[in-house]
Amino acid sequence: MTPIRFRIVPRFLLSGAILASMACATGPTGRPPAPPSSAAVQTELGARDVVQAGEEYARNNSLVLAEAGEAVEIRPNFWRIRFGLADQPGRILEVEFDELARRVINARELDIIPENMGDAAVGGSGASVPAAGTPRGPIP
């Protein structure tokens, strides 16, 4: 006959293993974790693939990019990607990409035109701003 302590040890190990596996199978709320939204994941993956395709287009055309691309989905499966050009400050490369056909539709270099600050940059007269305490006129 085996001593009592040898019969008790397997029972504790078995019950402990069952409890541990149940605790790992569910989250702290008791529910299994929900997968991320597939639409958001697909959009993120699509944007990343499109930016990589734009970078490859630039490399194939001997263009040196200064910054990471910014991709915007114009309509389903049609993207516009913009990159800064390293060797031409003040210019960007704009690439239009068809995701289904996996090809560049259009590419062009654009000048970046800074906004015209007008008199505000020089310290204009401020005539268009009413003084404190005076009511504004009617809005046209």
Side-chain angles (χ1 to χ4, degrees):
M1 185 159 167
T2 58
I4 295 177
R5 66 177 178 212
F6 289 122
R7 281 188 259 162
I8 296 174
V9 170
R11 290 183 188 161
F12 284 122
L13 288 176
L14 179 62
S15 62
I18 291 172
L19 287 174
S21 66
M22 288 176 58
C24 293
T26 59
T29 61
R31 298 183 310 220
S37 169
S38 62
V41 170
Q42 291 300 322
T43 301
E44 178 66 29
L45 291 174
R48 189 177 314 145
D49 290 344
V50 166
V51 168
Q52 288 175 350
E55 290 171 347
E56 183 178 336
Y57 173 85
R59 274 193 306 273
N60 291 340
N61 289 291
S62 302
L63 296 170
V64 181
L65 302 178
E67 8 180 291
E70 172 187 308
V72 177
E73 190 171 18
I74 303 301
R75 58 181 186 262
N77 301 313
F78 189 78
W79 295 79
R80 180 174 293 139
I81 314 122
R82 290 183 174 169
F83 300 97
L85 296 173
D87 55 347
Q88 300 176 17
R91 292 184 63 85
I92 62 170
L93 172 68
E94 182 178 82
V95 178
E96 293 175 355
F97 186 78
D98 184 349
E99 189 175 18
L100 290 178
R102 305 290 301 163
R103 66 185 181 100
V104 172
I105 302 298
N106 188 15
R108 60 182 172 245
E109 291 183 25
L110 302 172
D111 288 323
I112 300 173
I113 301 171
E115 291 184 28
N116 185 4
M117 299 302 287
D119 291 340
V122 183
S125 64
S128 63
V129 179
T134 57
R136 291 183 177 209
I139 299 174

